Amino acid sequence: MTGAAYDKKSMTYLWIMIFPVLFLWPTGAAATGSSSTAEIVELQIGFGGLYKLGCWTPVSITLQGGEKEETGRVELVVTDTDGVLTTVPSPTIHLEPKQLNKVSMLMRPGQAQGLLQVRWSVAGQIHSQRTYSLDSTERNQSQEDLPANENTVPAGLPSTNRLLLVVGPPPGITQLIQTIQAENTLATTHVAHALNTERLPTLPSGYDSIDTMVLTTSDPTIYDPLLANPERLHALSQWIDQGGRLILFCGRSGPDLLPSGKPLAQLIPGHYQRQLPLRNLLPLETFSGDYQSLARGRLRLQVPKLTKVSGHILAFGGRSPTDLPLVIKSARQLGEIIFIGIDVDLPPFRDWSGRASLLRKLLDWQPQEFSSGQQLSPTQTTGYDLTTQLRGALDQHFTDVETISFALVAILAIGYIGLIGPGDYFFLKRALRRMEMTWLTFPLIVVGTSVGAYWLATTSKGNQLRVAQIEIVDVNLTHESRSLGNRVPGYNVPSYNVPKRGTTEETEAETAGGGLIRGTVWTHIFSPSAMRYQLTIDPCLPGQPSAPVEDIRSTTKSKSPKSIVSWLGLPGRSLGGMQSGGTQTGPLERGYTFGESLQSLQGLPIQVWSTKTINAQWFAEGTPAFEMELRQTSDQLLTGHISNHLGVELTDCLLLYGRWAYHLARLGDERTIKIDDNLQPRTLKTMLTNASAGDTAATRIAEDGTVFFDRLGTDVARIVKAMMFYQAIGGASYTGALNRYQHQIDMSQLLTTGRAILLARAPGSGSQWLHNHKRLGSNQDQHWLYYRFVATVQE
């Protein structure tokens, strides 16, 4: 080979190597960032690095401006549960030259492994980007935010984990969970610590990963940023209203935090009056169940006194409950607040042997679902959650869509191999006696088999889009009140000597526009062809399940619902699960984007004859035309009446209160049912799990009337009821499964706060998904629409 030829060939190879680099040069330059454009300086994710997969997670991005002013958006790119890339854009941001700017966003990660990409885009063009690897190393303690020069962030916890958020000095919960932790890493409990409130989410959805939030207040300066940034306090308040659970410890710092205008004034179930000395600790010892003496000698504790208390006073320090309430359990809209008037992180409570018992009772932890010594079944070790069973059940409820069994596929595959091998050979050898004809018979067999397979798939799968949808609409019927001073919306549960409405003490209150309405939608979509969908949710309020929102029949005007949409993940390590180690799609694979305010899915891809599970939550305020006037009798039962003016008949009606349930069967439109001695209650668990509780009658019945829970069952009604009142029916001891991924659906706690709940099934399809502003689905779709009306029981 001559030198010239060698050089020519070398230059050809060199250009082949250089060309892709030149082609991708703008992207590569943007990735490294330059001084002429904004740079991504730092990323903070979750709560001290802790968050759960399949949940909305707060993310804080720090940007530094470039040489000139820029206006653009931050984009977060991460995979969903199926490994498809998703993009969450921020609102428009204006950056000053060389100035730092912090951007708060939400993301929803779907896999424990993979990458997280942060982009800075101007006019749709990526100007800079930074890629982070997700570190799936198991963690037992909260992890500090990584430095700015790191390109690794912690991966999400399993969706079946329990995550507690503690704000303020540690109250001892970390030591408590270490003594009861399960060996199964998919069922463990984690504690995230926040020593300041500057990084709390600015949207209620940012708390999606949090099961319970605990506030300690021995250092009141921690909460000063809440007044400087009211949107964080508003987001926390909204999260509680929408079903969150808050435990608030406040002792000596009461004057700094609880009076009107102070940071935590709107989070207490009453009106702060003054500090009083606590001279007797026996009530707290009794409440905790640990009777060892708290302290010896003279006490010097000052605790806050609350008046106009709403809720159940579980422990008190005076002669009567209202003299000095110490532990108050209150319902607030659809959520719960527990107020404890002590500092559990300070002496004498810090060193008290009964502190663990007190915390366990406040957290309402049932016996450990899967204790260390218990043998776990295969489904439990893969992170078996009721959401998994629900998704599997929906897969079996598509009309005219049949699943081809693996056995049939295996038989057909063996038959195909037999045709193209021995079958073709013996046919040509003995029938035609011309082996060269294989050039004709072989392609005919291949084509014929392909046509037959396509015909079989088309016949069994159909050619129409199908939808199977479950919706739960929760309505708070309690008339909330807000005072001109410090009354808090959401507290209307009479307790002991709390003044009733209409008394002199209530004349300062002004009635709000109505209670909170929350809709939760799970939708399983079967697509007959490969398509990209542009999806939004059109919520429908109680009364008109198939009509637009503005046509609702209500006693007061209701505000337009606000919605947030997303995909629904598959918990655990099973095939397709978020912990299964699924692979990420290629870097050039075009995924889909969340629309502004997370109210739409733009370009959601679904492959031919495939399914996708999406979900939505929507919220509105209003008072539907439905009445529940109930009182508690001396024997802890109910009396009163329920009136339905919604315009639809309700079926499968159950009235739940405490541990009791009344079977009301049907409640027609413009009908009133009296609740009196003629209705005989039965235990709540029996009524929710008996033979007629599901879509089909069950046969495996226990001696107490309950039905054994089938973890392989596809009865949607039975699964949904187990999720809606999980703790009340026995939790994992009854179902053999966790219920943590969609834990906000469980309303068992409200039954212990003086509230009654009417569970009913309604006709119609409920909220509608729209694809390009047209209704998604067909007249062959399956719908399950449930209402839960929550009302205060007067004493």
Side-chain angles (χ1 to χ4, degrees):
M1 181 180 295
T2 65
Y6 180 81
D7 291 341
K8 185 176 181 180
K9 191 170 184 179
S10 299
M11 289 300 295
T12 302
Y13 286 141
L14 181 61
W15 275 109
I16 292 175
M17 296 175 64
I18 291 178
F19 180 76
V21 177
L22 294 177
F23 180 75
L24 298 174
W25 174 255
T27 302
T32 60
S34 73
S35 59
S36 63
T37 188
E39 294 184 12
I40 299 157
V41 178
E42 186 179 20
L43 175 74
Q44 296 164 349
I45 182 171
F47 302 91
L50 293 176
Y51 61 98
K52 292 200 289 190
L53 295 175
C55 298
W56 287 110
T57 299
V59 180
S60 176
I61 303 103
T62 302
L63 299 175
Q64 184 174 28
E67 298 292 342
K68 59 182 181 179
E69 294 183 5
E70 287 184 301
T71 300
R73 297 176 184 269
V74 176
E75 297 176 341
L76 295 176
V77 182
V78 71
T79 55
D80 68 5
T81 186
D82 297 318
V84 182
L85 294 176
T86 67
T87 301
V88 179
S90 71
T92 302
I93 300 169
H94 180 73
L95 293 181
E96 297 290 342
K98 297 300 183 181
Q99 296 297 313
L100 292 178
N101 193 320
K102 285 194 174 182
V103 182
S104 297
M105 298 179 61
L106 295 177
M107 75 168 190
R108 193 177 178 97
Q111 293 184 337
Q113 301 176 2
L115 302 175
L116 165 63
Q117 193 172 77
V118 186
R119 300 171 178 169
W120 169 249
S121 298
V122 178
Q125 298 295 321
I126 300 175
H127 280 211
S128 63
Q129 65 184 19
R130 189 169 177 180
T131 302
Y132 298 84
S133 298
L134 298 179
D135 180 11
S136 58
T137 304
E138 296 288 347
R139 293 160 295 161
N140 294 321
Q141 301 295 331
S142 64
Q143 184 171 333
E144 294 295 329
D145 295 325
L146 294 174
N149 60 353
E150 293 286 347
N151 290 320
T152 301
V153 295
L157 301 170
S159 59
T160 50
N161 278 189
R162 182 192 282 122
L163 180 58
L164 309 179
L165 175 60
V166 175
V167 179
I173 296 180
T174 301
Q175 293 81 355
L176 172 63
I177 66 173
Q178 289 175 349
T179 63
I180 62 173
Q181 201 63 279
E183 292 180 356
N184 183 9
T185 58
L186 295 180
T188 56
T189 298
H190 297 263
V191 180
H193 293 280
L195 296 180
N196 61 71
T197 56
E198 295 178 350
R199 296 180 181 176
L200 291 181
T202 56
L203 294 172
S205 300
Y207 293 99
D208 197 18
S209 290
I210 303 302
D211 295 82
T212 302
M213 187 172 181
V214 180
L215 305 184
T216 60
T217 60
S218 56
D219 181 4
T221 60
I222 291 174
Y223 299 95
D224 290 341
L226 292 181
L227 294 180
N229 192 350
E231 63 179 355
R232 300 188 190 278
L233 183 58
H234 183 59
L236 173 58
S237 180
Q238 281 189 309
W239 172 70
I240 298 170
D241 290 344
Q242 294 170 5
R245 190 164 188 262
L246 176 72
I247 299 176
L248 171 58
F249 292 95
C250 187
R252 69 180 186 181
S253 300
D256 300 318
L257 297 173
L258 303 184
S260 179
K262 296 295 183 179
L264 303 183
Q266 60 178 282
L267 299 181
I268 58 174
H271 182 94
Y272 174 79
Q273 188 179 65
R274 63 182 186 276
Q275 295 289 109
L276 288 178
L278 178 61
R279 297 185 174 89
N280 183 12
L281 298 181
L282 181 60
L284 290 173
E285 298 170 3
T286 304
F287 172 75
S288 69
D290 191 307
Y291 295 95
Q292 295 189 22
S293 178
L294 258 168
R296 297 179 181 179
R298 186 174 180 179
L299 292 175
R300 297 183 179 180
L301 296 177
Q302 293 286 322
V303 298
K305 178 183 178 180
L306 304 187
T307 60
K308 298 182 182 179
V309 172
S310 293
H312 287 304
I313 300 175
L314 305 179
F316 55 92
R319 293 185 177 181
S320 66
T322 55
D323 286 346
L324 186 59
L326 295 176
V327 181
I328 307 168
K329 186 175 185 179
S330 295
R332 172 165 169 168
Q333 295 281 13
L334 302 176
E336 178 188 15
I337 292 180
I338 301 179
F339 175 82
I340 308 96
I342 62 171
D343 295 312
V344 74
D345 57 305
L346 295 178
F349 306 102
R350 183 180 60 193
D351 305 320
W352 178 37
S353 62
R355 185 171 72 162
S357 299
L358 174 67
L359 292 172
R360 190 179 295 111
K361 189 164 186 177
L362 293 172
L363 292 166
D364 194 33
W365 283 355
Q366 304 298 322
Q368 185 67 17
E369 286 96 340
F370 305 120
S371 60
S372 300
Q374 183 177 351
Q375 294 295 322
L376 305 179
S377 68
T379 54
Q380 293 168 354
T381 56
T382 57
Y384 184 73
D385 190 275
L386 287 177
T387 308
T388 306
Q389 184 170 357
L390 185 67
R391 282 188 40 160
L394 290 176
D395 224 11
Q396 305 299 319
H397 284 83
F398 292 122
T399 304
D400 297 332
V401 177
E402 298 180 5
T403 303
I404 299 177
S405 66
F406 177 79
L408 179 58
V409 173
I411 292 173
L412 293 177
I414 294 173
Y416 174 66
I417 295 173
L419 280 176
I420 63 174
D424 187 40
Y425 174 80
F426 286 111
F427 176 74
L428 297 176
K429 179 83 173 174
R430 298 186 178 180
L432 298 182
R433 297 183 179 181
R434 297 180 62 183
M435 299 300 294
E436 65 275 12
M437 291 295 293
T438 188
W439 294 101
L440 176 63
T441 58
F442 182 80
L444 287 176
I445 294 174
V446 173
V447 172
T449 304
S450 301
V451 171
Y454 180 79
W455 174 84
L456 177 62
T458 304
T459 303
S460 61
K461 301 292 186 181
N463 56 5
Q464 288 189 343
L465 185 140
R466 292 286 186 258
V467 168
Q469 177 171 299
I470 303 165
E471 182 170 14
I472 302 172
V473 180
D474 299 314
V475 182
N476 180 28
L477 295 175
T478 301
H479 294 282
E480 313 296 357
S481 64
R482 295 176 175 88
S483 71
L484 302 178
N486 191 38
R487 283 289 296 218
V488 182
Y491 300 103
N492 190 36
V493 183
S495 178
Y496 297 101
N497 297 326
V498 177
K500 302 293 189 297
R501 293 192 178 275
T503 62
T504 304
E505 295 182 21
E506 286 290 331
T507 57
E508 298 180 355
E510 59 180 4
T511 304
L516 180 73
I517 304 175
R518 176 185 71 182
T520 304
V521 184
W522 299 305
T523 306
H524 204 49
I525 302 173
F526 170 81
S527 180
S529 59
M531 281 191 62
R532 286 185 174 270
Y533 295 87
Q534 317 295 328
L535 297 177
T536 57
I537 189 75
D538 182 18
C540 286
L541 300 175
Q544 298 291 339
S546 300
V549 173
E550 53 268 21
D551 293 336
I552 180 176
R553 296 172 56 185
S554 62
T555 57
T556 62
K557 295 182 179 180
S558 58
K559 299 180 181 179
S560 298
K562 297 181 179 179
S563 61
I564 181 169
V565 304
S566 185
W567 47 267
L568 184 69
L570 187 65
R573 295 195 181 103
S574 58
L575 183 63
M578 290 181 281
Q579 295 294 133
S580 62
T583 57
Q584 184 172 332
T585 53
L588 301 181
E589 176 71 19
R590 183 165 66 96
Y592 58 99
T593 302
F594 287 89
E596 187 176 356
S597 301
L598 307 178
Q599 296 188 64
S600 64
L601 297 173
Q602 301 173 1
L604 175 70
I606 305 180
Q607 299 301 319
V608 59
W609 295 324
S610 297
T611 60
K612 185 79 173 182
T613 308
I614 56 178
N615 77 306
Q617 271 203 323
W618 56 265
F619 303 93
E621 291 182 1
T623 306
F626 196 87
E627 299 176 4
M628 292 177 64
E629 296 290 339
L630 301 170
R631 297 180 301 278
Q632 179 180 287
T633 65
S634 57
D635 51 359
Q636 309 297 311
L637 299 179
L638 291 177
T639 182
H641 71 274
I642 300 175
S643 299
N644 176 20
H645 307 288
L646 293 174
V648 295
E649 182 184 51
L650 302 178
T651 60
D652 195 17
C653 298
L654 287 177
L655 178 60
L656 313 175
Y657 180 63
R659 58 184 294 266
W660 299 106
Y662 299 81
H663 183 225
L664 307 182
R666 295 178 178 271
L667 181 56
D669 182 36
E670 304 298 339
R671 294 291 302 273
T672 297
I673 292 182
K674 291 186 63 177
I675 310 299
D676 52 26
D677 294 339
N678 293 325
L679 291 174
Q680 296 299 320
R682 299 181 65 185
T683 63
L684 180 148
K685 180 178 180 181
T686 300
M687 297 299 288
L688 287 172
T689 64
N690 61 21
S692 60
D695 290 328
T696 57
T699 56
R700 295 183 59 208
I701 303 176
E703 294 181 359
D704 60 357
T706 62
V707 171
F708 293 102
F709 191 81
D710 183 5
R711 287 184 293 179
L712 300 178
T714 59
D715 192 323
V716 171
R718 198 172 294 278
I719 300 170
V720 170
K721 289 180 180 179
M723 296 176 67
M724 288 194 287
F725 298 98
Y726 178 75
Q727 294 294 347
I729 65 173
S733 63
Y734 171 70
T735 63
L738 298 170
N739 185 39
R740 292 185 180 173
Y741 183 32
Q742 300 290 293
H743 64 89
Q744 73 279 0
I745 294 303
D746 185 9
M747 273 194 173
S748 301
Q749 285 296 326
L750 285 183
L751 295 173
T752 67
T753 59
R755 300 282 176 109
I757 301 175
L758 179 72
L759 170 64
R761 188 164 178 179
S765 56
S767 299
Q768 299 288 338
W769 286 96
L770 303 179
H771 168 52
N772 288 329
H773 307 290
K774 296 182 180 179
R775 178 176 177 269
L776 183 75
S778 68
N779 56 4
Q780 298 294 320
D781 296 337
Q782 297 288 322
H783 293 270
W784 293 262
L785 176 60
Y786 289 94
Y787 291 158
R788 290 189 292 186
F789 298 97
V790 183
T792 298
V793 176
Q794 303 293 332
E795 291 185 351

